[in-house]
Amino acid sequence: AATHARAYLLEDQEFIVALGTCCGIAAVLVLALYTSTGHLERLYRTPEFLWGTCVLLLYWISYMWLSAHRRRMTDDPLVFALKDRVSQVLMLLMGITAWLAM
């Protein structure tokens, strides 16, 4: 019933997982490409810390998809992330790495 309420069919599951995973990895790739540009020295004191954000974001996206696959994500992904202890720690660590880069 929940999958139908969001206009997804059970048959869409494999496609949604593949699409979501690819989009998540693409987001990390975009962040990594941004991190590797030479313009960051003007914006950040220590832009090397942004690489830590890339690694943490890749781990978090993988963790979220694994949680969904294991059916532990019974709520909206945003609500899940805000309530989940691992997600909270990862968000905090990503914030710290971004702050350290400044």
Side-chain angles (χ1 to χ4, degrees):
T3 55
H4 182 66
R6 294 185 181 231
Y8 297 118
L9 302 174
L10 191 57
E11 298 84 36
D12 297 334
Q13 184 175 4
E14 287 182 33
F15 175 75
I16 296 297
V17 169
L19 182 64
T21 304
C22 289
C23 289
I25 291 171
V28 175
L29 176 62
V30 168
L31 180 59
L33 290 171
Y34 172 73
T35 301
S36 67
T37 65
H39 304 299
L40 294 183
E41 282 75 28
R42 290 182 288 170
L43 301 171
Y44 300 93
R45 281 191 323 238
T46 50
E48 300 82 29
F49 280 105
L50 293 177
W51 287 108
T53 306
C54 293
V55 172
L56 292 167
L57 182 60
L58 180 62
Y59 180 82
W60 185 46
I61 289 170
S62 302
Y63 169 79
M64 293 289 283
W65 278 106
L66 184 61
S67 296
H69 177 73
R70 291 181 177 170
R71 304 203 188 293
R72 289 188 301 149
M73 190 181 298
T74 58
D75 211 338
D76 182 84
L78 181 59
V79 174
F80 174 83
L82 293 174
K83 291 180 181 179
D84 178 63
R85 179 61 70 192
V86 172
S87 294
Q88 292 169 348
V89 169
L90 287 168
M91 286 186 275
L92 177 66
L93 290 174
M94 284 186 276
I96 290 170
T97 57
W99 179 75
L100 288 172
M102 298 178 121

